Amino acid sequence: MPGKITLHAADLDGLLTSWDRKALEEIEALYSPAAEISLKLESPSEEERTKAGVELTERSKVISHALERICLIVPSIHVYSFEAPREQHGEASRIIAKLRKPETGHEEFIYYIQRSYELLFAHIYSDASLNRKRPIIQRTPVTIPYQNYGVHMIPDVDELVHSTVMCVMLRGALLPSMIISKEIEDYSSDAFITPFALFRIKRDETKDEKTMDYTLDLGRSFFDLSSLDGKDLVFADPMNATGGSLVTIMNYLKENGVRPRSVKVINVISALKGALRISRAIPEAEIYTLWMDPVLNEKAYILPGLGDAGDRLNGPDPGQDGRNMIQLIADYGQSIVNLYRNQVREIEKTVLR
């Protein structure tokens, strides 16, 4: 499958409507004072830092209310903290705060990514199936005075998951895709192991947002077009900044005759601009994010963001070409490989065949 497909930033420019652009301008205007407030938070004066903290908190509330109002007008954008019961918002906030923290190390970062996707899976799939439940009759290790069993009612998600294909956009999307696949396996009545489609796509980090290139390397991707047609495609990626990588892949699939039954985009953090672009470019897509961040900087990094999620999940790549899928899995270590062993086998089959 030779060749490369490149999408240029200019190709994304026409996706946004005039309403989208006004919404983005509003959010950027609300966020712009944050730079000055952030400088005060670095002040040696405790009094000034305290005052700046209050200012930033109030500013964040205003931005959050504006983001919620905008997202409610675009029905395909789902933000966990705008849709989930208020009692659950604190958990999402705690997780995002931990992921943002520069001192959060590799193993702890993985833990909070796992927690994020467990919350998102419950919101997307389990909550949608609460009116349909099925029993799990589970044999326990307790055999005295007789063999004991526990009965547990769980949401019946089968009809939502049995046509799922996990579409992995390297690199940071590998582990999140495995997590969602594992949740599907655990919830489905037949322990369904999702197929995987592996795409090698990179954006040119030497360029800024307005000149960015997104390149899909077909020679280093592993997927079967026929197995994607009519399926529920799930793209689980920690960060959605510009939406360019996903739009590149979906354009290629559609140009080659793939008509998915549905498209779900599942992010830990999404920038408003990226979410709006995906909603316009891929009308059938449903975008789910644990947290919505307001803006991008000139390098197309999310603000306030959490840094390079791929590097924080997988460690920085040695060399320019980076590791292949099998090398990434090996670098996760035995504990991760054992936890997601069925997903690892499926990924290995996808690469080797």
Side-chain angles (χ1 to χ4, degrees):
M1 197 185 299
K4 295 183 178 182
I5 308 295
T6 299
L7 181 140
H8 306 289
D11 300 325
L12 296 171
D13 288 344
L15 296 176
L16 298 175
T17 67
S18 59
W19 182 90
D20 295 338
R21 287 190 284 271
K22 287 179 182 177
L24 291 168
E25 288 170 4
E26 176 191 351
I27 294 299
E28 287 170 7
L30 290 174
Y31 187 77
S32 59
E36 184 179 345
I37 299 172
S38 297
L39 289 173
K40 294 177 184 177
L41 284 168
E42 300 293 325
S43 169
S45 165
E46 183 178 352
E47 182 181 354
E48 190 166 5
R49 291 197 305 271
T50 300
K51 184 179 177 182
V54 173
E55 286 183 53
L56 190 61
T57 299
E58 293 306 311
R59 174 65 50 175
S60 296
K61 289 178 183 177
V62 172
I63 293 170
S64 179
H65 290 319
L67 286 170
E68 182 173 10
R69 173 172 46 79
I70 290 166
C71 290
L72 286 173
I73 296 171
V74 186
S76 61
I77 298 177
H78 308 273
V79 182
Y80 182 89
S81 55
F82 299 162
E83 295 186 347
R86 186 173 294 277
E87 293 80 7
Q88 298 173 16
H89 294 182
E91 177 68 354
S93 292
R94 181 185 74 91
I95 289 170
I96 295 297
K98 286 287 189 179
L99 289 171
R100 292 200 201 276
K101 192 176 181 181
E103 293 79 16
T104 298
H106 174 64
E107 291 183 357
E108 195 177 11
F109 193 86
I110 288 177
Y111 168 77
Y112 285 111
I113 288 290
Q114 289 172 314
R115 287 291 298 121
S116 298
Y117 277 99
E118 288 166 0
L119 285 181
L120 285 164
F121 181 88
H123 184 58
I124 298 165
Y125 294 98
S126 299
D127 290 356
S129 305
L130 287 176
N131 61 338
R132 300 187 309 275
K133 290 193 174 183
R134 65 176 183 84
I136 294 179
I137 302 175
Q138 181 58 57
R139 188 166 168 257
T140 82
V142 180
T143 58
I144 299 173
Y146 49 81
Q147 176 63 61
N148 278 260
Y149 291 83
V151 179
H152 304 275
M153 304 300 294
I154 68 167
D156 184 355
V157 303
D158 282 0
E159 69 178 52
L160 299 179
V161 302
H162 271 158
S163 292
T164 300
V165 178
M166 297 306 306
C167 297
V168 182
M169 299 188 292
L170 298 182
R171 287 177 310 138
L174 176 59
L175 185 55
S177 300
M178 292 163 64
I179 295 167
I180 291 292
S181 179
K182 173 72 172 172
E183 291 291 293
I184 289 173
E185 177 188 4
D186 288 348
Y187 269 86
S188 59
S189 61
D190 57 354
F192 174 61
I193 309 299
T194 64
F196 283 78
L198 313 175
F199 300 95
R200 177 74 177 198
I201 187 159
K202 293 182 70 175
R203 71 183 204 179
D204 188 342
E205 298 291 351
T206 66
K207 299 186 176 183
D208 61 26
E209 190 209 345
K210 294 180 180 178
T211 61
M212 189 73 70
D213 290 331
Y214 305 84
T215 301
L216 172 61
D217 187 344
L218 297 175
R220 300 181 69 184
S221 298
F222 303 92
F223 59 89
D224 176 12
L225 287 170
S226 63
S227 70
L228 301 175
D229 193 39
K231 300 297 184 180
D232 298 312
L233 306 186
V234 173
F235 293 83
D237 199 336
M239 308 270 283
N240 169 30
T242 67
S245 295
L246 179 66
V247 172
T248 304
I249 290 172
M250 287 304 302
N251 284 352
Y252 172 79
L253 294 181
K254 289 183 177 182
E255 287 167 4
N256 284 272
V258 173
R259 297 294 179 265
R261 188 173 83 160
S262 71
V263 178
K264 287 184 176 64
V265 184
I266 310 178
N267 310 117
V268 176
I269 289 181
S270 179
L272 177 62
K273 192 171 193 176
L276 287 171
R277 277 176 169 164
I278 290 171
S279 72
R280 305 312 181 197
I282 313 165
E284 69 272 33
E286 296 291 325
I287 303 142
Y288 298 90
T289 188
L290 192 63
W291 201 266
M292 180 68 76
D293 266 0
V295 299
L296 302 173
N297 67 12
E298 63 275 5
K299 294 294 290 181
Y301 296 159
I302 299 175
L303 300 180
L306 52 77
D308 189 321
D311 279 356
R312 297 187 74 184
L313 270 176
N314 306 321
D317 270 334
Q320 191 170 6
D321 288 339
R323 291 160 288 178
N324 62 36
M325 296 298 286
I326 304 303
Q327 290 169 327
L328 277 176
I329 289 172
D331 286 349
Y332 283 146
Q334 200 59 47
S335 60
I336 294 292
V337 170
N338 286 341
L339 181 60
Y340 300 105
R341 58 188 177 275
N342 291 329
Q343 286 68 39
V344 170
R345 290 193 193 104
E346 190 65 32
I347 291 167
E348 287 175 341
K349 285 195 298 184
T350 302
V351 172
L352 294 175
R353 69 170 172 254

